Amino acid sequence: MVAQKKDRLVPDLPGRKMLPTATSQFAVIAPDLGLIFLFIALVSCTPFLVGLWYGEAGYLLPMASAPAGFGILGFWLAGIPKAEGEARLSVALSAVALIWLIAALIGALPYTFGLDLPYTDSVFEAMSGWTGTGFSLLPSVDAAPKTILFWRSLTQWMGGLGIVAFTIALAGRSGVTRFRLYRSEGRSEALMPGVVTTAIEMWRIYLVLTALGIGLVLLSGIPLWDAVNIVMTAISTGGFSVHTAGILYYESPLLEMLVVPVMIAGALPFKLYFLLYYKKTFGFFTDRQALLLFALILAGCAAVTFDLATISFLALPEALRQGIFMTVSGITCTGFQNADPRSWYGSTVLVLAALMFIGGSAGSTAGGIKLGRVILGLNVLVWWFRRLHAGGRAITALRHDGRSILAHLPEYEVSKSMLVVLLFALMVAVATLLLLHLAPQGGFDSADIIFEVVSAASSVGITTGFVNPGMSPAAKWLFILVMWAGRLEIVPVIVLIEGAARRFR
């Protein structure tokens, strides 16, 4: 065998295929990455329309930094001659992690040039936007121009279903490489046979839900501008607002209750909307993820409302208002707040943190470990005890998602899902320890910091106040990393960092 050298295609044994190296793998995937960034650049021009409509011509040039940055990078990557072959799964995973990181690095430019925000704070704001987390370091949201505010909402809306899914739908072209990029973004749902048709259908559903949500929220009497931004960030389970006080700015319990179904709609599996429209099948009360989501919402609302009424001594109407809204906002990973969790009793905060950690459905815009993994874990418990009581030679099938999984596959399916859960828990633990040592802040205890890290890892954005512009740069970059890794379910980020470390050794 001829020894494989760096950056070259070297033949293996006669009659066998040549082994691709890092350079050839980059050439396989680079044109697809270029196309993704070009489409992001195109959509990034949308805030120009807002700037022109509201007479904010002075902010058009700072806003142009984002589409210009995406466009330059996109043209360079698209111009690289495409190599033959297929991108390895590890390369696709690394590429997706890199796409999201670059989206935050370039998406931060309008904040830096338009608001004179420090670049670290700008990257934090951009990563919080793309990942749908909702944390904000803007000194005053009310003072920010509408052009920049719409850019914040747009990043959450695009990031809700995924950057890759969005651009694949626009490109209208399929292929193995694009399929692997799509799956590497944490997407496993298949509404249609092809990845392009699936992405198109998901975005068609997304647009309809957004339009319906805007119509619903307008019933509260708020202006159209506010309604559009609220629904864009609610259906994407993001949580950004156009006011510093957030939802509380409006002092409207009616608005809060109208936003609740929009948040739930974003956290339900999108395949249910597809089945409803195309198959005329109403599966919202038969789908196991949907049923578990509704059950957890009811249980969470009951527990939080009971605590607020009996321990925090809130009046029952106010306890219900906070309990319902904050529970739905937490489990759907939206991040809107009509209360300060820091003023709650510890057990109440723990309930909310647990709901945030679980998150919404697989195939939705929500974050967390996903309801599908919780269901799989429960199925495995039942399967394991059935095996204990079965005979030694009996074959016991694992029932999951309406199908039987035989032989060694149960262990494989479980190990994949439980690995993500374990990595989530490990990331929360390590990030909390680092924050306690590197970025201590007076007035906040370890429970507050754990809550903030869970909120960042699950792409929620509900805060006790620990996340603020006064944090140290080290704490801000740590939260950026946690938001990035949490949105992509950690594995792509680990693969990217491991691959980069191997290249630099």
Side-chain angles (χ1 to χ4, degrees):
M1 182 186 294
V2 180
Q4 185 176 353
K5 296 182 180 179
K6 193 175 182 180
D7 299 338
R8 292 179 59 189
L9 282 176
V10 183
D12 199 358
L13 293 174
R16 297 179 64 180
K17 293 183 178 179
M18 303 173 73
L19 298 175
T21 62
T23 299
S24 65
Q25 282 287 303
F26 177 72
V28 167
I29 208 167
D32 291 305
L33 299 184
L35 191 63
I36 287 172
F37 286 119
L38 286 174
F39 277 114
I40 296 176
L42 178 64
V43 180
S44 298
C45 296
T46 310
F48 294 160
L49 302 176
V50 175
L52 292 172
W53 180 265
Y54 287 100
E56 296 177 344
Y59 290 97
L60 296 183
L61 188 59
M63 186 61 239
S65 59
F70 288 124
I72 292 170
L73 180 60
F75 276 117
W76 173 66
L77 290 170
I80 296 175
K82 185 175 179 64
E84 296 296 328
E86 299 174 1
R88 293 192 300 266
L89 179 58
S90 61
V91 175
L93 288 166
S94 300
V96 165
L98 197 59
I99 288 169
W100 283 78
L101 178 61
I102 292 173
L105 296 176
I106 296 178
L109 298 178
Y111 304 119
T112 297
F113 296 135
L115 303 178
D116 293 325
L117 204 65
Y119 186 65
T120 292
D121 291 20
S122 298
V123 175
F124 184 102
E125 197 78 15
M127 185 65 80
S128 180
W130 287 111
T131 59
T133 304
F135 283 144
S136 180
L137 297 184
L138 293 187
S140 174
V141 178
D142 292 288
K146 287 182 168 59
T147 306
I148 303 298
L149 292 180
F150 187 76
W151 172 238
R152 292 168 82 236
S153 300
L154 184 65
T155 56
Q156 287 203 329
W157 191 75
M158 285 195 293
L161 281 188
I163 297 173
V164 174
F166 176 71
T167 52
I168 284 177
L170 288 179
R173 289 157 53 190
S174 187
V176 175
T177 298
R178 288 192 180 93
F179 174 76
R180 285 187 170 171
L181 288 172
Y182 177 82
R183 294 295 295 268
S184 299
E185 199 175 41
R187 295 284 164 200
S188 59
E189 63 277 5
L191 307 182
M192 301 289 283
V195 64
V196 171
T197 49
T198 293
I200 290 173
E201 291 302 327
M202 289 182 66
W203 276 98
R204 191 173 293 166
I205 293 168
Y206 201 41
L207 285 167
V208 171
L209 291 176
T210 303
L212 292 175
I214 292 172
L216 180 64
V217 169
L218 282 173
L219 296 177
S220 66
I222 66 173
L224 177 62
W225 162 256
D226 297 63
V228 169
N229 283 273
I230 286 174
V231 172
M232 286 177 68
T233 58
I235 197 65
S236 62
T237 61
F240 273 156
S241 176
V242 291
H243 296 286
T244 303
I247 289 291
L248 283 175
Y249 170 86
Y250 306 96
E251 298 181 347
S252 172
L254 174 60
L255 170 63
E256 294 167 13
M257 293 305 106
L258 290 175
V259 171
V260 164
V262 181
M263 294 189 289
I264 294 175
L268 286 169
F270 272 50
K271 71 176 183 181
L272 298 182
Y273 305 113
F274 175 82
L275 293 174
L276 179 63
Y277 183 77
Y278 288 98
K279 307 290 186 180
K280 303 298 183 287
T281 302
F282 191 86
F284 293 88
F285 297 118
T286 57
D287 182 83
R288 301 184 72 181
Q289 288 196 92
L291 288 174
L292 182 57
L293 178 63
F294 296 143
L296 288 175
I297 288 174
L298 289 175
C301 288
V304 172
T305 301
F306 179 80
D307 282 359
L308 293 177
T310 59
I311 300 177
S312 300
F313 302 107
L314 293 181
L316 184 58
E318 182 62 22
L320 276 169
R321 175 187 175 184
Q322 293 186 17
I324 294 172
F325 190 83
M326 292 293 286
T327 296
V328 173
S329 181
I331 194 168
T332 61
C333 302
T334 305
F336 286 140
Q337 292 182 233
N338 68 350
D340 180 9
R342 199 176 178 201
S343 65
W344 290 0
Y345 190 68
S347 62
T348 318
V349 176
L350 183 61
V351 171
L352 186 60
L355 294 173
M356 287 160 40
F357 187 79
I358 293 171
S361 307
S364 73
T365 64
I369 62 173
K370 302 292 190 307
L371 295 168
R373 292 192 176 93
V374 175
I375 293 172
L376 177 60
L378 295 175
N379 288 340
V380 168
L381 282 178
V382 174
W383 171 75
W384 185 257
F385 281 107
R386 286 176 59 201
R387 285 187 65 187
L388 290 178
H389 293 289
R393 295 181 178 273
I395 298 177
T396 307
L398 169 63
R399 296 285 302 175
H400 177 64
D401 201 20
R403 59 193 176 91
S404 296
I405 306 173
L406 296 172
H408 67 285
L409 289 180
E411 287 87 350
Y412 175 71
E413 293 283 341
V414 173
S415 63
K416 284 198 307 180
S417 294
M418 294 305 107
L419 173 64
V420 175
V421 177
L422 177 63
L423 290 174
F424 257 89
L426 184 61
M427 180 173 68
V428 169
V430 171
T432 301
L433 289 173
L434 288 174
L435 286 169
L436 286 171
H437 285 85
L438 300 178
Q441 292 194 37
F444 294 95
D445 56 23
S446 56
D448 295 323
I449 297 176
I450 292 172
F451 184 88
E452 302 283 297
V453 175
V454 170
S455 187
S458 297
S459 304
V460 182
I462 296 177
T463 179
T464 60
F466 179 82
V467 172
N468 63 80
M471 287 192 306
S472 67
K476 292 173 183 176
W477 280 104
L478 182 58
F479 271 106
I480 290 169
L481 177 61
V482 171
M483 290 188 288
W484 176 39
R487 174 59 180 81
L488 296 178
E489 299 184 342
I490 305 174
V491 174
V493 175
I494 292 177
V495 173
L496 174 64
I497 294 173
E498 188 271 337
R502 189 191 311 166
R503 291 279 291 172
F504 281 109
R505 276 204 299 266

